[in-house]
Amino acid sequence: MSSFRPQLWTIPEVADTDKQRLPERTTLLEQRLRIIAERFPQAVFASSLAVEDMVITDMICRLQLPIRIITLHTGKLNAETEALIAATNTRYPIKLEVFHPIADDAAEFEQQFGATAMYDRVELRRRCCHIRKIEPLNRALATAPAWLTGQRRSQSDTRSELAFEEHDHARDIAKFNPIFDWEETDVWAYAQANDVPLNDLYRQGYPSIGCEPCTRPVKQGENIRSGRWWWESKDSKECGLHK
């Protein structure tokens, strides 16, 4: 029996060129966040607790901007992700506002379709995402004048056309992607330079982290989001938060 194990993704090495580019990237991020805060006081940053989101959280807190930071506790998070929520609240003065799914809706879904229904059909997976992510986000954004994400263009094919500012037509509010044009190494350069708290799953081969049943490590060289909903085609690999 072969004992070969594929090489898993590892945290990218930050090159000197990445470090040299970081001051310019950091200054631009600061400018973008200040613009958002000035135009939309009490805008909401929806943090997935990914490294990108932790970078933005760090900057919001450094600048003491009037931007609320929320996160979604889906009820299906890894222990490492739950630990990061606690670590973030310890590190920063701005406490995360945690939104949960409606317990009865989540329980009814699992009772009707089973705890592993997300693997059966895309329709059921999206319904699960709606209960655990989209509905709580809708509540979080109910009074928000605008919201922010940590999305980047180079994360996946479905995000290749991202812009700094968009309009969320479903909620009729502005939407911002302040690091839309950052590369993966830019994100890691900032995180390492500023000792940003991070999810320990990154050290276990997880470059993109969501709910525990829907996330797995990826092999070296694979797209960084290939471990999300890996049983689906790449065209369906979004939960609906950004549709």
Tab-separated table of all heavy atoms in Angstrom, residues 168-201:
chain	number	residue	atom	x	y	z
A	168	ASP	N	-25.354	47.093	-3.778
A	168	ASP	CA	-26.081	45.888	-3.399
A	168	ASP	C	-27.546	46.130	-3.738
A	168	ASP	O	-28.274	46.772	-2.985
A	168	ASP	CB	-25.888	45.631	-1.899
A	168	ASP	CG	-26.551	44.344	-1.431
A	168	ASP	OD1	-27.524	43.889	-2.077
A	168	ASP	OD2	-26.104	43.780	-0.414
A	169	HIS	N	-27.961	45.617	-4.888
A	169	HIS	CA	-29.319	45.884	-5.359
A	169	HIS	C	-30.370	45.215	-4.491
A	169	HIS	O	-31.466	45.759	-4.311
A	169	HIS	CB	-29.465	45.423	-6.812
A	169	HIS	CG	-28.629	46.205	-7.771
A	169	HIS	ND1	-28.972	47.459	-8.219
A	169	HIS	CD2	-27.425	45.924	-8.347
A	169	HIS	CE1	-28.052	47.912	-9.041
A	169	HIS	NE2	-27.089	47.007	-9.139
A	170	ALA	N	-30.062	44.063	-3.936
A	170	ALA	CA	-31.042	43.356	-3.106
A	170	ALA	C	-31.393	44.159	-1.851
A	170	ALA	O	-32.543	44.173	-1.415
A	170	ALA	CB	-30.513	41.983	-2.717
A	171	ARG	N	-30.389	44.827	-1.283
A	171	ARG	CA	-30.610	45.596	-0.052
A	171	ARG	C	-30.650	47.093	-0.313
A	171	ARG	O	-30.910	47.869	0.612
A	171	ARG	CB	-29.502	45.261	0.964
A	171	ARG	CG	-29.444	43.779	1.315
A	171	ARG	CD	-28.301	43.480	2.281
A	171	ARG	NE	-28.241	42.053	2.595
A	171	ARG	CZ	-27.526	41.164	1.897
A	171	ARG	NH1	-26.799	41.567	0.875
A	171	ARG	NH2	-27.534	39.887	2.238
A	172	ASP	N	-30.356	47.496	-1.538
A	172	ASP	CA	-30.356	48.898	-1.950
A	172	ASP	C	-29.422	49.733	-1.079
A	172	ASP	O	-29.780	50.826	-0.619
A	172	ASP	CB	-31.764	49.481	-1.928
A	172	ASP	CG	-31.850	50.802	-2.707
A	172	ASP	OD1	-31.014	51.004	-3.619
A	172	ASP	OD2	-32.730	51.620	-2.398
A	173	ILE	N	-28.211	49.227	-0.861
A	173	ILE	CA	-27.194	49.965	-0.123
A	173	ILE	C	-25.850	49.808	-0.853
A	173	ILE	O	-25.689	48.922	-1.693
A	173	ILE	CB	-27.042	49.489	1.339
A	173	ILE	CG1	-26.662	47.999	1.394
A	173	ILE	CG2	-28.309	49.763	2.132
A	173	ILE	CD1	-26.397	47.494	2.809
A	174	ALA	N	-24.902	50.663	-0.513
A	174	ALA	CA	-23.570	50.579	-1.105
A	174	ALA	C	-22.817	49.382	-0.512
A	174	ALA	O	-23.041	48.983	0.624
A	174	ALA	CB	-22.806	51.860	-0.838
A	175	LYS	N	-21.923	48.862	-1.318
A	175	LYS	CA	-21.104	47.719	-0.896
A	175	LYS	C	-19.666	47.986	-1.336
A	175	LYS	O	-19.419	48.402	-2.468
A	175	LYS	CB	-21.628	46.431	-1.531
A	175	LYS	CG	-20.844	45.175	-1.184
A	175	LYS	CD	-21.450	43.966	-1.876
A	175	LYS	CE	-20.669	42.695	-1.602
A	175	LYS	NZ	-21.238	41.534	-2.313
A	176	PHE	N	-18.723	47.711	-0.415
A	176	PHE	CA	-17.324	48.013	-0.691
A	176	PHE	C	-16.442	46.781	-0.503
A	176	PHE	O	-16.674	45.969	0.398
A	176	PHE	CB	-16.835	49.130	0.232
A	176	PHE	CG	-17.493	50.448	-0.003
A	176	PHE	CD1	-18.649	50.793	0.692
A	176	PHE	CD2	-16.986	51.346	-0.933
A	176	PHE	CE1	-19.272	52.014	0.474
A	176	PHE	CE2	-17.605	52.570	-1.157
A	176	PHE	CZ	-18.755	52.907	-0.452
A	177	ASN	N	-15.445	46.692	-1.365
A	177	ASN	CA	-14.440	45.635	-1.283
A	177	ASN	C	-13.071	46.322	-1.190
A	177	ASN	O	-12.384	46.489	-2.197
A	177	ASN	CB	-14.509	44.738	-2.525
A	177	ASN	CG	-15.911	44.215	-2.781
A	177	ASN	OD1	-16.462	43.478	-1.984
A	177	ASN	ND2	-16.498	44.610	-3.907
A	178	PRO	N	-12.656	46.742	0.005
A	178	PRO	CA	-11.482	47.625	0.127
A	178	PRO	C	-10.144	47.004	-0.244
A	178	PRO	O	-9.181	47.728	-0.481
A	178	PRO	CB	-11.505	48.046	1.602
A	178	PRO	CG	-12.369	47.055	2.286
A	178	PRO	CD	-13.363	46.590	1.279
A	179	ILE	N	-10.049	45.662	-0.312
A	179	ILE	CA	-8.801	45.053	-0.766
A	179	ILE	C	-9.044	44.212	-2.022
A	179	ILE	O	-8.378	43.204	-2.247
A	179	ILE	CB	-8.127	44.211	0.339
A	179	ILE	CG1	-9.045	43.089	0.832
A	179	ILE	CG2	-7.682	45.082	1.505
A	179	ILE	CD1	-8.332	42.110	1.770
A	180	PHE	N	-9.963	44.661	-2.855
A	180	PHE	CA	-10.335	43.915	-4.060
A	180	PHE	C	-9.151	43.652	-4.981
A	180	PHE	O	-9.106	42.652	-5.686
A	180	PHE	CB	-11.433	44.653	-4.819
A	180	PHE	CG	-10.960	45.882	-5.555
A	180	PHE	CD1	-10.716	45.851	-6.918
A	180	PHE	CD2	-10.745	47.078	-4.879
A	180	PHE	CE1	-10.270	46.978	-7.598
A	180	PHE	CE2	-10.305	48.213	-5.551
A	180	PHE	CZ	-10.058	48.166	-6.910
A	181	ASP	N	-8.176	44.570	-4.986
A	181	ASP	CA	-7.050	44.465	-5.911
A	181	ASP	C	-5.774	43.946	-5.240
A	181	ASP	O	-4.707	43.975	-5.842
A	181	ASP	CB	-6.777	45.815	-6.561
A	181	ASP	CG	-6.621	46.943	-5.548
A	181	ASP	OD1	-6.841	46.715	-4.338
A	181	ASP	OD2	-6.279	48.073	-5.966
A	182	TRP	N	-5.868	43.448	-4.009
A	182	TRP	CA	-4.708	42.889	-3.332
A	182	TRP	C	-4.467	41.462	-3.808
A	182	TRP	O	-5.413	40.713	-4.086
A	182	TRP	CB	-4.913	42.863	-1.823
A	182	TRP	CG	-4.744	44.189	-1.138
A	182	TRP	CD1	-5.073	45.413	-1.623
A	182	TRP	CD2	-4.224	44.389	0.184
A	182	TRP	NE1	-4.782	46.370	-0.685
A	182	TRP	CE2	-4.272	45.777	0.424
A	182	TRP	CE3	-3.743	43.535	1.168
A	182	TRP	CZ2	-3.830	46.333	1.632
A	182	TRP	CZ3	-3.312	44.092	2.362
A	182	TRP	CH2	-3.349	45.477	2.579
A	183	GLU	N	-3.208	41.086	-3.877
A	183	GLU	CA	-2.845	39.700	-4.139
A	183	GLU	C	-2.744	38.954	-2.805
A	183	GLU	O	-2.670	39.559	-1.732
A	183	GLU	CB	-1.512	39.630	-4.895
A	183	GLU	CG	-1.550	40.265	-6.273
A	183	GLU	CD	-2.563	39.619	-7.197
A	183	GLU	OE1	-2.791	38.394	-7.083
A	183	GLU	OE2	-3.135	40.336	-8.044
A	184	GLU	N	-2.712	37.634	-2.905
A	184	GLU	CA	-2.658	36.820	-1.687
A	184	GLU	C	-1.433	37.164	-0.839
A	184	GLU	O	-1.526	37.263	0.392
A	184	GLU	CB	-2.641	35.335	-2.057
A	184	GLU	CG	-2.719	34.402	-0.864
A	184	GLU	CD	-2.687	32.934	-1.264
A	184	GLU	OE1	-2.217	32.632	-2.379
A	184	GLU	OE2	-3.118	32.101	-0.461
A	185	THR	N	-0.300	37.381	-1.486
A	185	THR	CA	0.912	37.679	-0.733
A	185	THR	C	0.856	39.064	-0.079
A	185	THR	O	1.504	39.291	0.957
A	185	THR	CB	2.159	37.587	-1.632
A	185	THR	OG1	1.940	38.340	-2.828
A	185	THR	CG2	2.469	36.139	-1.968
A	186	ASP	N	0.089	39.992	-0.640
A	186	ASP	CA	-0.094	41.290	0.008
A	186	ASP	C	-0.798	41.112	1.349
A	186	ASP	O	-0.435	41.745	2.351
A	186	ASP	CB	-0.937	42.222	-0.876
A	186	ASP	CG	-0.253	42.592	-2.170
A	186	ASP	OD1	0.975	42.768	-2.162
A	186	ASP	OD2	-0.953	42.709	-3.196
A	187	VAL	N	-1.806	40.252	1.348
A	187	VAL	CA	-2.575	40.005	2.565
A	187	VAL	C	-1.682	39.400	3.647
A	187	VAL	O	-1.681	39.843	4.807
A	187	VAL	CB	-3.761	39.067	2.260
A	187	VAL	CG1	-4.508	38.721	3.541
A	187	VAL	CG2	-4.709	39.710	1.255
A	188	TRP	N	-0.894	38.407	3.249
A	188	TRP	CA	-0.037	37.744	4.232
A	188	TRP	C	1.097	38.652	4.685
A	188	TRP	O	1.542	38.581	5.844
A	188	TRP	CB	0.488	36.428	3.661
A	188	TRP	CG	-0.586	35.386	3.645
A	188	TRP	CD1	-1.318	34.975	2.569
A	188	TRP	CD2	-1.083	34.654	4.769
A	188	TRP	NE1	-2.244	34.029	2.945
A	188	TRP	CE2	-2.121	33.824	4.289
A	188	TRP	CE3	-0.763	34.633	6.111
A	188	TRP	CZ2	-2.834	32.965	5.125
A	188	TRP	CZ3	-1.477	33.787	6.958
A	188	TRP	CH2	-2.496	32.967	6.466
A	189	ALA	N	1.569	39.511	3.806
A	189	ALA	CA	2.618	40.461	4.200
A	189	ALA	C	2.102	41.381	5.303
A	189	ALA	O	2.802	41.643	6.294
A	189	ALA	CB	3.068	41.275	2.992
A	190	TYR	N	0.882	41.878	5.154
A	190	TYR	CA	0.298	42.757	6.170
A	190	TYR	C	0.075	41.991	7.471
A	190	TYR	O	0.417	42.485	8.560
A	190	TYR	CB	-1.028	43.339	5.681
A	190	TYR	CG	-1.659	44.297	6.678
A	190	TYR	CD1	-1.548	45.668	6.501
A	190	TYR	CD2	-2.353	43.834	7.796
A	190	TYR	CE1	-2.116	46.563	7.415
A	190	TYR	CE2	-2.908	44.702	8.723
A	190	TYR	CZ	-2.784	46.062	8.523
A	190	TYR	OH	-3.332	46.934	9.438
A	191	ALA	N	-0.507	40.799	7.360
A	191	ALA	CA	-0.820	40.018	8.559
A	191	ALA	C	0.443	39.724	9.366
A	191	ALA	O	0.442	39.819	10.611
A	191	ALA	CB	-1.517	38.721	8.164
A	192	GLN	N	1.517	39.365	8.688
A	192	GLN	CA	2.751	39.033	9.387
A	192	GLN	C	3.434	40.274	9.948
A	192	GLN	O	3.969	40.258	11.062
A	192	GLN	CB	3.669	38.272	8.438
A	192	GLN	CG	3.135	36.891	8.072
A	192	GLN	CD	3.930	36.194	6.988
A	192	GLN	OE1	5.034	36.618	6.648
A	192	GLN	NE2	3.371	35.122	6.427
A	193	ALA	N	3.405	41.368	9.194
A	193	ALA	CA	4.056	42.594	9.652
A	193	ALA	C	3.365	43.192	10.869
A	193	ALA	O	4.013	43.853	11.692
A	193	ALA	CB	4.089	43.615	8.522
A	194	ASN	N	2.068	42.935	11.006
A	194	ASN	CA	1.292	43.539	12.092
A	194	ASN	C	0.821	42.532	13.130
A	194	ASN	O	0.009	42.877	13.990
A	194	ASN	CB	0.105	44.298	11.504
A	194	ASN	CG	0.534	45.480	10.669
A	194	ASN	OD1	0.886	46.531	11.195
A	194	ASN	ND2	0.514	45.320	9.348
A	195	ASP	N	1.327	41.306	13.038
A	195	ASP	CA	1.002	40.263	14.018
A	195	ASP	C	-0.513	40.123	14.216
A	195	ASP	O	-1.025	40.092	15.326
A	195	ASP	CB	1.684	40.563	15.352
A	195	ASP	CG	1.638	39.378	16.313
A	195	ASP	OD1	1.586	38.227	15.827
A	195	ASP	OD2	1.637	39.599	17.541
A	196	VAL	N	-1.203	40.033	13.103
A	196	VAL	CA	-2.662	39.931	13.122
A	196	VAL	C	-3.072	38.523	13.588
A	196	VAL	O	-2.523	37.533	13.111
A	196	VAL	CB	-3.231	40.212	11.716
A	196	VAL	CG1	-4.733	39.974	11.671
A	196	VAL	CG2	-2.896	41.635	11.287
A	197	PRO	N	-4.019	38.397	14.522
A	197	PRO	CA	-4.478	37.059	14.929
A	197	PRO	C	-5.152	36.338	13.772
A	197	PRO	O	-5.932	36.937	13.029
A	197	PRO	CB	-5.470	37.351	16.068
A	197	PRO	CG	-5.863	38.778	15.901
A	197	PRO	CD	-4.698	39.472	15.266
A	198	LEU	N	-4.845	35.044	13.620
A	198	LEU	CA	-5.330	34.282	12.476
A	198	LEU	C	-5.876	32.927	12.897
A	198	LEU	O	-5.542	32.404	13.962
A	198	LEU	CB	-4.196	34.085	11.457
A	198	LEU	CG	-3.596	35.346	10.846
A	198	LEU	CD1	-2.377	34.992	10.009
A	198	LEU	CD2	-4.628	36.090	10.003
A	199	ASN	N	-6.685	32.357	12.026
A	199	ASN	CA	-7.257	31.033	12.240
A	199	ASN	C	-6.155	29.979	12.141
A	199	ASN	O	-5.396	29.947	11.170
A	199	ASN	CB	-8.334	30.774	11.180
A	199	ASN	CG	-9.247	29.640	11.536
A	199	ASN	OD1	-8.808	28.601	12.035
A	199	ASN	ND2	-10.530	29.803	11.266
A	200	ASP	N	-6.085	29.094	13.105
A	200	ASP	CA	-5.045	28.064	13.103
A	200	ASP	C	-5.214	27.065	11.967
A	200	ASP	O	-4.271	26.338	11.629
A	200	ASP	CB	-5.046	27.312	14.441
A	200	ASP	CG	-3.801	26.464	14.617
A	200	ASP	OD1	-2.688	27.026	14.594
A	200	ASP	OD2	-3.940	25.224	14.759
A	201	LEU	N	-6.387	27.038	11.338
A	201	LEU	CA	-6.594	26.127	10.211
A	201	LEU	C	-5.690	26.457	9.025
A	201	LEU	O	-5.422	25.601	8.192
A	201	LEU	CB	-8.059	26.143	9.765
A	201	LEU	CG	-9.060	25.472	10.720
A	201	LEU	CD1	-10.488	25.691	10.235
A	201	LEU	CD2	-8.770	23.986	10.860
